Amino acid sequence: MRKRIGAELSREAPVEADLVVPVPDSGVPAAIGYSQESGIPFELGIIRSHYVGRTFIQPSQEVRHLGVKLKHNANSALIRGKRVVLIDDSIVRGTTSVKIVQMMRDAGAREVHMRIASPPTKFSCFYGVDTPERAKLLAAQMSVEAMADYINADSLAFISIDGLYRALGDNRDPAQPQRCDACFTGDYPTRLTDVEENDPAATLALAAAR
Ligand code: SF4
């Protein structure tokens, strides 16, 4: 399924490039799909150490930056002088994307194009997935163009919500939702009773953002 999402992303957001490089490990299946659909060669241009702690559970921004730095290393022998399509599965805070794009540039990439195998994550999850509050979601704060500037990519594109459903072999029917997609659409499948009771201002802001 993730390969099909990568293939759909390639059809929706093509780019002329020399290499498709996944952000390991989250971007690997989608990058294989993007590469197969586009014909651009797939390369493991970033090596990930499995011995360094996951950045998601580390508390401070400084430690998170350090974690990204220790965890990923670019293979500059592959990257130097190349136009690279970087594939990841999502952008949440943007912290990892900033570091990875810079890592590609430091390794000598000529162009860095970021492609994301999910729609922009604009809304928090209230069902148990540990996304941060909206104020910390990069896509809730800025446009795709501004995000491209922020992460210093030559271009940035996300799969559309309809493209995501196409890749699943499905159509999105808001009247009869089959799956939750609220973190992309703000279309929560239940009333957010805690938020409504405790934070009316946040409830109004959510409704306005949909
Ligand atoms: S799709 Fe729904 S349940 Fe899954 S992370 Fe997004 S908001 Fe949470």
Side-chain angles (χ1 to χ4, degrees):
M1 186 197 78
R2 285 172 187 258
K3 281 170 68 178
R4 288 207 305 269
I5 294 171
E8 184 67 32
L9 181 60
S10 163
R11 288 189 288 272
E12 282 196 348
V15 61
E16 286 206 7
D18 304 306
L19 295 178
V20 174
V21 172
V23 176
D25 296 324
S26 49
V28 172
I32 292 171
Y34 194 103
S35 167
Q36 288 176 348
E37 180 67 18
S38 64
I40 302 169
F42 173 94
E43 286 286 3
L44 291 171
I46 301 169
I47 315 296
R48 179 178 171 222
S49 166
H50 291 265
Y51 301 98
V52 178
R54 295 198 57 184
T55 57
F56 205 46
I57 56 172
Q58 290 168 343
S60 75
Q61 197 76 351
E62 293 73 32
V63 174
R64 199 174 291 121
H65 280 201
L66 184 65
V68 171
K69 215 171 186 176
L70 292 171
K71 203 167 71 170
H72 296 102
N73 281 294
N75 185 341
S76 51
L78 286 173
I79 300 300
R80 191 172 299 116
K82 300 291 197 325
R83 299 168 299 173
V84 174
V85 192
L86 264 181
I87 310 278
D88 206 350
D89 66 344
S90 60
I91 294 181
V92 182
R93 293 179 180 84
T95 315
T96 300
S97 305
V98 168
K99 291 284 168 187
I100 296 278
V101 171
Q102 189 57 47
M103 187 180 289
M104 290 291 97
R105 297 205 183 279
D106 291 344
R110 187 146 59 91
E111 295 173 14
V112 183
H113 302 276
M114 191 100 187
R115 296 291 180 269
I116 305 297
S118 67
T121 304
K122 293 184 179 175
F123 297 89
S124 300
C125 178
F126 295 96
Y127 306 122
V129 175
D130 189 16
T131 50
E133 62 200 80
R134 275 201 89 217
K136 293 187 178 144
L137 295 172
L138 197 64
Q141 302 307 316
M142 50 181 87
S143 67
V144 174
E145 294 74 23
M147 290 173 81
D149 284 346
Y150 180 81
I151 67 171
N152 192 25
D154 292 287
S155 72
L156 169 68
F158 296 77
I159 195 167
S160 68
I161 189 75
D162 289 338
L164 181 61
Y165 275 79
R166 262 195 308 279
L168 299 172
D170 207 353
N171 285 314
R172 184 171 193 272
D173 180 357
Q176 284 188 314
Q178 301 294 306
R179 300 179 175 87
C180 177
D181 54 31
C183 46
F184 310 131
T185 61
D187 193 3
Y188 291 96
T190 63
R191 279 182 57 199
L192 302 177
T193 48
D194 289 5
V195 182
E196 287 171 14
E197 283 168 19
N198 299 326
D199 196 346
T203 307
L204 288 174
L206 276 174
R210 270 176 217 141

